[in-house]
Amino acid sequence: MHTVLRICCVLLLCISEVYAAETLTLAPGQASPKANIEQLSWLAGHWRGEALGGVVEEHWAPPFAGTMVGTFKLSSNGKVKFYEIEIIREVADSLVLQLKHFNHDLKGWEEKDKTVDFPLVKIEDNTAYFDGFTIRKISEDEMHMFVVFEREPQLKEAVFKYNRVKP
């Protein structure tokens, strides 16, 4: 609970754009649909945008061994605010997005053996709906991510608009 509150506080302090109804929730007892990591191969690459009051960057490795691994960085005024290590992996014939947060000095937010998990709710050609986290391909060079940062008293989501960084 402490970690979730801390994440929400950081997002609320930094949030610049808020959207609603771009994410889905897995209903109690609902199983994740069949999916494989190759369906998100378009995500591989270097992405940059503006969100949370600063510059955001993500690097995603191509699918390999049933997983994709990514890193996230938020920086503002030339200083790193926080990092994330992210993985999307195949679990029980579906996908789950898992991440861990770190301060600028790599001190972790979550407990040692804990991760923030987003099981898959639905997958389409250009969009993966994880529980509270949506990844949408807009074009070959643009993607948006939507993350729930508050559910009560009403649903609030942050949007991250990325453009592919060309080598």
Side-chain angles (χ1 to χ4, degrees):
M1 181 65 121
H2 174 70
T3 299
V4 172
L5 290 174
R6 183 175 182 168
I7 293 167
C8 289
C9 289
V10 168
L11 289 172
L12 286 170
L13 290 173
C14 302
I15 199 77
S16 60
E17 290 187 67
V18 178
Y19 290 72
E22 295 291 337
T23 58
L24 299 176
T25 300
L26 203 60
Q30 178 185 358
S32 291
K34 289 190 181 288
N36 66 68
I37 199 65
E38 294 298 327
Q39 291 175 269
L40 292 178
S41 62
W42 60 264
L43 182 59
H46 180 188
W47 301 88
R48 182 178 295 135
E50 293 184 14
L52 306 178
V55 175
V56 290
E57 279 191 288
E58 299 219 12
H59 292 264
W60 282 95
F64 182 73
T67 68
M68 290 182 75
V69 64
T71 58
F72 168 91
K73 174 175 64 175
L74 169 65
S75 56
S76 179
N77 298 320
K79 296 186 185 216
V80 172
K81 299 299 182 188
F82 73 94
Y83 300 100
E84 293 174 357
I85 294 177
E86 312 159 298
I87 63 168
I88 301 173
R89 64 187 183 103
E90 295 175 348
V91 176
D93 292 324
S94 192
L95 299 172
V96 64
L97 168 65
Q98 297 176 291
L99 57 86
K100 282 185 153 296
H101 297 88
F102 300 88
N103 289 334
H104 68 92
D105 59 1
L106 286 182
K107 291 195 169 84
W109 294 9
E110 290 82 22
E111 292 182 33
K112 180 181 168 187
D113 294 332
K114 301 289 183 187
T115 56
V116 180
D117 297 352
F118 303 89
L120 187 66
V121 177
K122 178 180 173 182
I123 192 161
E124 299 171 344
D125 287 342
N126 295 323
T127 308
Y129 296 93
F130 294 92
D131 190 340
F133 195 118
T134 299
I135 304 171
R136 178 172 295 135
K137 176 182 175 182
I138 305 302
S139 70
E140 289 301 317
D141 294 322
E142 184 179 0
M143 76 156 166
H144 296 174
M145 293 185 173
F146 301 88
V147 182
V148 171
F149 68 91
E150 186 177 334
R151 291 191 189 271
E152 299 296 331
Q154 75 181 58
L155 181 69
K156 292 182 184 173
E157 299 170 342
V159 65
F160 298 75
K161 294 181 179 180
Y162 291 98
N163 291 300
R164 189 179 296 277
V165 176
K166 302 285 186 176

